Amino acid sequence: MKKAVVVNVAHARDKRSIYEKIVRDEVCPFCVDFSKKKEVFEYHTKPILFHGTHWVVTENFNPYKGTKYHFMFIHRKHIVSFSELRPAALKELTLLTKKLEEKFLLPAGVFLFRFGDTNYTGGSVNHFHGHFVLGTKRSKKESEPLLLYAGYKKSQ
């Protein structure tokens, strides 16, 4: 399914060649081709953990440094704004998060949603999605915080 280019290669932390191919192919790497009833996840190398009506849950193929777990919740329909989410999608998000917690025995987590202009979010794909991350438990040995990419700092 051809879409307007929605990938910002300038924000690709690693695996730049994959993002460049996505731009050349003029597709959204997170979209579902409803005519073929399949996701366009040919660029994604991790298995899909859960398929919902509104969401696909997978491991991130390019996890943030230091994470123990880095999952992605990708909205199946191409939307770019939080305001486009339907109540049923929010309900399913809750159910899938619970399934993820149970499957991996997660004691905690951080959810970060990306939507809108990637020049504000620092993200590489302008398709509504969430990052669910977990590092390790804080100890004297492991006290460095995780760095999550969530946009850009305001100048002082």
Side-chain angles (χ1 to χ4, degrees):
M1 170 184 266
K2 293 276 185 176
K3 292 272 185 192
V5 176
V6 295
V7 173
N8 188 333
V9 177
H11 296 150
R13 294 175 290 112
D14 297 311
K15 305 188 189 271
R16 190 178 216 56
S17 63
I18 293 171
Y19 292 104
E20 288 169 345
K21 180 176 179 354
I22 293 166
V23 170
R24 282 192 310 274
D25 292 347
E26 297 180 329
V27 296
C28 174
F30 293 163
C31 273
V32 174
D33 184 341
F34 288 103
S35 66
K36 295 179 183 169
K37 305 244 190 250
K38 71 173 219 160
E39 287 84 9
V40 186
F41 286 115
E42 65 183 84
Y43 312 95
H44 185 72
T45 57
K46 296 290 186 175
I48 303 302
L49 301 170
F50 304 116
H51 287 268
T53 302
H54 304 280
W55 301 94
V56 173
V57 182
T58 183
E59 293 178 58
N60 191 329
F61 84 115
N62 192 19
Y64 294 150
K65 185 177 178 184
T67 55
K68 182 175 181 178
Y69 294 108
H70 186 166
F71 302 106
M72 293 186 64
F73 284 67
I74 301 166
H75 196 275
R76 289 176 61 127
K77 181 179 176 193
H78 188 85
I79 62 173
V80 296
S81 170
F82 213 104
S83 64
E84 293 176 83
L85 278 178
R86 305 228 184 245
L90 290 171
K91 184 176 181 179
E92 183 178 89
L93 178 71
T94 302
L95 295 172
L96 290 173
T97 302
K98 183 177 178 180
K99 282 179 75 171
L100 192 69
E101 286 180 295
E102 291 170 355
K103 180 177 174 98
F104 291 92
L105 304 173
L106 301 173
V110 174
F111 229 133
L112 167 75
F113 288 102
R114 289 200 191 279
F115 58 95
D117 188 338
T118 60
N119 288 311
Y120 287 93
T121 68
S124 55
V125 180
N126 188 5
H127 177 123
F128 192 94
H129 64 285
H131 294 263
F132 185 108
V133 297
L134 179 63
T136 60
K137 186 175 182 180
R138 184 176 184 177
S139 68
K140 290 182 181 183
K141 190 176 180 183
E142 301 286 340
S143 60
E144 185 111 4
L146 287 174
L147 296 177
L148 305 180
Y149 298 89
Y152 299 94
K153 293 180 184 178
K154 180 180 169 187
S155 297
Q156 298 293 334

